[in-house]
Amino acid sequence: MRVWIDQDLCTGDGLCVDHCHDVFTLLEDGIAYVAEDGQPLNDPGGSGSLAEVPRRHVESVIRAAEVCPGECIFIEIDVPVDAALDVHVDHRIAARIEIRDDEAAA
Ligand code: SF4
């Protein structure tokens, strides 16, 4: 599972960081970014802004997306890779989840 943030919509309230500070971080500009292996990915809109979510954080990342007031946390689920994930996804974020089942996503 991967996650990215549309910084143009972010309110900077930090709720995502409260839910999962390993995956979300607020930078000096007061806007949230995703992080991977402790490194913020601060390339808004670029392919480099898509962070892999460690399995142990999948649930909290989904909860963060559900409460995000900017509705700007987007999730990609790779069917081949994430088939074993057993998570409940709230209807509030259904529009922000992309299901990928192509080989390239694996
Ligand atoms: S919860 Fe959403 S709006 Fe709030 S800081 Fe995080 S990404 Fe931005």
Side-chain angles (χ1 to χ4, degrees):
M1 188 177 111
R2 294 183 295 257
V3 63
W4 63 280
I5 294 172
D6 183 342
Q7 275 78 23
D8 287 343
L9 302 175
C10 177
T11 68
D13 58 83
L15 278 178
C16 53
V17 181
D18 292 344
H19 276 74
C20 189
H21 59 82
D22 282 341
V23 173
F24 302 105
T25 186
L26 283 174
L27 294 185
E28 301 75 30
D29 59 4
I31 300 297
Y33 293 82
V34 292
E36 196 173 87
D37 299 326
Q39 275 304 115
L41 306 181
N42 55 355
D43 177 25
S47 58
S49 64
L50 199 57
E52 195 68 42
V53 178
R55 183 157 296 218
R56 67 186 181 283
H57 293 316
V58 162
E59 194 78 35
S60 51
V61 166
I62 288 174
R63 298 301 154 243
E66 288 171 351
V67 300
C68 170
E71 300 183 358
C72 54
I73 297 175
F74 293 82
I75 290 169
E76 276 190 16
I77 292 175
D78 299 329
V79 172
V81 177
D82 297 327
L85 290 181
D86 182 23
V87 290
H88 172 74
V89 175
D90 193 287
H91 66 91
R92 286 173 293 176
I93 62 167
R96 283 178 277 139
I97 293 183
E98 182 179 354
I99 310 285
R100 297 178 60 98
D101 60 1
D102 54 298
E103 291 287 319

